[in-house]
Amino acid sequence: MVSVLWIVIGVVVFSAVISAIGSDNLGEYIWYLWITFVPSKAARNVKQLREVQREAIAVSTERSNTSSQDEFAKWAKLNRKVDKLRGEIEKLNAAISTQRAFFKSQIRRVIWISTTGMKIFVRIKYRKVAVFWLPKGMFPGWIEWMLSLTSAPKGSVSVAAWFMITDYAIKGAVVFAITKTAEFAGAKRKMPAPAANVSEKKSGLEKKSIPNEGKTK
Amino acid sequence: MEDEELAPTLQNILDQRSLRWIFVGGKGGVGKTTTSCSLAVQLAQRRNNVLLISTDPAHNLSDAFGQQFGKEARKVDGIPNLSAMEIDPSGSIQEMIEQANAQNNGMSNIMQDLAFSIPGVDEAMSFAEVMKQVKSTDFDVIVFDTAPTGHTLRFLSFPTVLEKALAKVSELSGRFGPMLNGLLGAQAGGGGGADGDMFAKLESMRATINEVNTQFKDPDLTTFICVCIPEFLSLYETERMIQELSSYHIDVHCIVVNQLLYPAKSSTCAQCNARYKMQQKYVEQIQDLYEGDFHIVKLPQLTDEVRGTEKIKAFSQMLIKPYVPTSE
């Protein structure tokens, strides 16, 4: 049995990572995996949508290659077909977006259970457990009492307090890590052009600052 | 094979005794009035009571029959069983504005603004007139000569639009009516009562609109005849109109191609021959595109205008017996 200490750290790290990625983004990624690899109804709809879209483009090109003055009948028939296909595309799009919304709401529910739900569960299950014992005499009585809220034995750190502490520490760390990685990736894209920079300066051209440079999702 | 079943005449319209509403439409001077008058004349020979209605403010019916028509249905001279009516939409709106201004009621002003902002209020006025007239007298079939501006489709979709608008207004009135009554209670002493009436009237109107809507979508009761000329833009408009009518579920299965030129073989007129060639090209396209599903009637360009009861009667024969150009 893993000690409560590590369980708490695990849950908090997991929640922080998920909130840094964003539950919406996560939903999108998992949806994409779902329709690519799992033969579900949604995947079939998406495939059908792509086929219909391809057909619509083909018919539309054929129509624009037909002179409406000289071959009105053929042009009109192609026109009708394009309208019909567009109607189908709209229907499929609507069906897919409802499926997607449902899927993402399910994912959101799973995420909630595994993060907030887990936190509540752990807090309740281990409420009387001492995560670790404070060295005697290190902290004054009132601090010891606060750290043992709500039901842990006095002189130890309770799960609730430990949650707060790890939350504060890890959230900061995860956010910092992800921002630094993003900056690094952005900087890498900027890198290839130091020589050009120098020559531009020589020709007197000011390198205008691009507002969103370096900012990634 | 299917060609033989769909005769190039309007006999099917005359034979279909269940029809109550016949719309004749098409964009821009293609011969709607001539066709609708001719059709009405033919129908009058086979039905007890036919009404011909025009909403065009240019008074075509009066010109066509050489007789003055107005807002009330009047019998056409020389043609038994046929009555005609010309509705001027702008006139009706004027009346309504004057009526509404007479009651200085805060609530009614709001309703006025609301009513005038509903899309197609012109069509609404024509519609209202029609409903009023039709409910009072009994006509077997009503032929509409529609306005040349192509607003026919707005008119036909009007029942649906109005139904939705009225549904919204009823909903809003249900929610805000009590509140507004309280606010305006001080100014409009009797206003509360009047508003209640208004909403009741709207509700009954909604029921009528619904009924008309259902009738328009029933192919046994309503049909639309597209009139066109064998030229590109008219064809394009006809195709667009047919698609739009299908989307409203209004039956359309007849097309009248008007103003066809048949120059004599010995003719040396360069323009006539060129025009004839161009028209034949488009007539072929029309056949190709519509033959299986539509009756295609071809009417010739005559050397004089079709005006006056006798000329209309003669012209109307061509709706049932296809015109055969004399070959010289």
Side-chain angles (χ1 to χ4, degrees), chain A residues 4-5 8 126-135 138-139 143-166:
Chain A
V4 187
L5 192 100
V8 170
Y126 295 110
R127 68 184 177 288
K128 295 222 172 87
V129 170
V131 179
F132 61 86
W133 291 94
L134 292 166
M138 187 180 237
F139 299 106
I143 292 189
E144 278 192 356
W145 174 78
M146 260 177 33
L147 288 173
S148 69
L149 283 175
T150 44
S151 330
K154 187 148 182 240
S156 73
V157 175
S158 72
V159 173
W162 183 233
F163 254 118
M164 258 176 37
I165 297 165
T166 44

Side-chain angles (χ1 to χ4, degrees), chain B residues 104-176:
Chain B
N104 280 320
N105 189 335
M107 192 57 184
S108 82
N109 281 334
I110 299 173
M111 286 307 295
Q112 219 179 304
D113 287 338
L114 255 184
F116 287 158
S117 63
I118 295 177
V121 71
D122 299 349
E123 282 71 21
M125 293 299 119
S126 325
F127 203 74
E129 281 296 335
V130 167
M131 297 278 53
K132 207 171 35 165
Q133 293 298 335
V134 161
K135 274 197 274 192
S136 51
T137 339
D138 241 8
F139 287 104
D140 289 337
V141 65
I142 300 160
V143 181
F144 283 88
D145 177 21
T146 62
T149 51
H151 278 177
T152 318
L153 287 172
R154 275 215 310 193
F155 177 85
L156 289 175
S157 69
F158 183 72
T160 323
V161 169
L162 187 61
E163 233 187 299
K164 290 189 193 154
L166 282 180
K168 262 297 153 184
V169 171
S170 304
E171 202 189 329
L172 285 174
S173 80
R175 290 192 201 164
F176 295 117

Side-chain angles (χ1 to χ4, degrees), chain A:
Chain A
M1 249 320 290
V2 188
S3 78
V4 187
L5 192 100
W6 291 107
I7 295 180
V8 170
I9 293 181
V11 172
V12 172
V13 167
F14 181 64
S15 309
V17 168
I18 290 207
S19 70
I21 300 176
S23 75
D24 200 56
N25 286 341
L26 206 57
E28 289 285 346
Y29 296 149
I30 300 183
W31 166 258
Y32 181 70
L33 294 173
W34 177 258
I35 56 174
T36 323
F37 296 115
V38 178
S40 59
K41 201 161 50 147
R44 275 199 298 274
N45 274 349
V46 172
K47 206 166 69 138
Q48 197 184 354
L49 175 72
R50 303 230 170 99
E51 274 176 29
V52 178
Q53 276 170 332
R54 234 173 303 148
E55 203 187 334
I57 293 177
V59 179
S60 183
T61 327
E62 202 190 335
R63 180 185 62 167
S64 47
N65 287 338
T66 316
S67 153
S68 53
Q69 257 105 329
D70 297 328
E71 296 176 295
F72 185 78
K74 180 165 166 218
W75 184 90
K77 286 182 188 158
L78 289 171
N79 200 29
R80 289 178 190 174
K81 194 139 184 241
V82 167
D83 286 337
K84 196 176 72 144
L85 289 172
R86 293 247 167 89
E88 269 181 46
I89 289 176
E90 256 183 60
K91 250 187 12 201
L92 281 170
N93 265 331
I96 289 174
S97 73
T98 14
Q99 284 168 329
R100 191 162 116 238
F102 177 71
F103 187 81
K104 282 168 77 170
S105 80
Q106 300 290 75
I107 295 284
R108 257 198 310 267
R109 192 188 291 183
V110 167
I111 290 177
W112 190 92
I113 291 178
S114 60
T115 55
T116 318
M118 270 304 278
K119 285 185 188 170
I120 296 176
F121 173 70
V122 169
R123 274 183 211 231
I124 294 181
K125 182 164 179 206
Y126 295 110
R127 68 184 177 288
K128 295 222 172 87
V129 170
V131 179
F132 61 86
W133 291 94
L134 292 166
K136 259 204 158 75
M138 187 180 237
F139 299 106
W142 58 278
I143 292 189
E144 278 192 356
W145 174 78
M146 260 177 33
L147 288 173
S148 69
L149 283 175
T150 44
S151 330
K154 187 148 182 240
S156 73
V157 175
S158 72
V159 173
W162 183 233
F163 254 118
M164 258 176 37
I165 297 165
T166 44
D167 208 39
Y168 183 74
I170 288 177
K171 224 181 238 178
V174 166
V175 170
F176 180 75
I178 292 195
T179 333
K180 272 295 163 197
T181 334
E183 263 183 39
F184 185 63
K188 262 182 126 177
R189 262 186 260 139
K190 254 201 319 191
M191 286 264 273
N197 229 351
V198 173
S199 63
E200 274 176 21
K201 276 214 183 106
K202 277 198 178 158
S203 66
L205 283 170
E206 204 82 45
K207 184 160 190 265
K208 288 218 180 84
S209 68
I210 304 162
N212 282 324
E213 207 175 63
K215 261 202 231 162
T216 52
K217 48 184 170 325

Side-chain angles (χ1 to χ4, degrees), chain B residues 16 41 45 70 90 208 239 269 273 282 297 325:
Chain B
Q16 196 178 345
V41 162
Q45 295 172 7
S90 48
T208 322
E239 168 66 12
C269 170
N273 289 323
Y282 287 116
V297 184

Side-chain angles (χ1 to χ4, degrees), chain B residues 142-313:
Chain B
I142 300 160
V143 181
F144 283 88
D145 177 21
T146 62
T149 51
H151 278 177
T152 318
L153 287 172
R154 275 215 310 193
F155 177 85
L156 289 175
S157 69
F158 183 72
T160 323
V161 169
L162 187 61
E163 233 187 299
K164 290 189 193 154
L166 282 180
K168 262 297 153 184
V169 171
S170 304
E171 202 189 329
L172 285 174
S173 80
R175 290 192 201 164
F176 295 117
M179 176 185 97
L180 281 171
N181 273 336
L183 278 179
L184 301 170
Q187 307 176 8
D195 298 335
D197 276 345
M198 194 159 4
F199 293 130
K201 260 192 268 178
L202 282 174
E203 273 304 315
S204 77
M205 214 164 85
R206 199 170 146 210
T208 322
I209 302 288
N210 197 7
E211 172 61 30
V212 171
N213 208 6
T214 330
Q215 287 202 14
F216 279 2
K217 300 199 176 177
D218 185 353
D220 292 330
L221 295 173
T222 310
T223 192
F224 195 101
I225 300 176
C226 288
V227 186
C228 67
I229 53 176
E231 280 181 17
F232 173 67
L233 281 181
S234 181
L235 221 54
Y236 183 78
E237 275 305 318
T238 307
E239 168 66 12
R240 200 177 66 92
M241 183 158 33
I242 289 175
Q243 294 308 317
E244 225 174 310
L245 286 167
S246 309
S247 76
Y248 295 141
H249 304 288
I250 295 176
D251 173 64
V252 49
H253 62 268
C254 290
I255 297 180
V256 173
V257 185
N258 210 356
Q259 299 178 18
L260 281 162
L261 267 183
Y262 294 109
K265 288 232 166 64
S266 54
S267 161
T268 51
C269 170
Q271 287 91 335
C272 292
N273 289 323
R275 190 118 194 263
Y276 172 74
K277 278 215 188 77
M278 182 204 74
Q279 285 191 343
Q280 287 308 308
K281 173 176 85 165
Y282 287 116
V283 165
E284 254 177 57
Q285 297 300 312
I286 292 176
Q287 298 281 156
D288 190 3
L289 189 54
Y290 297 115
E291 52 189 358
D293 310 306
F294 290 81
H295 295 262
I296 304 171
V297 184
K298 298 202 263 219
L299 298 176
Q301 175 78 54
L302 298 179
T303 47
D304 47 357
E305 291 177 279
V306 184
R307 285 170 82 179
T309 319
E310 289 313 311
K311 295 223 178 108
I312 295 182
K313 270 201 227 169

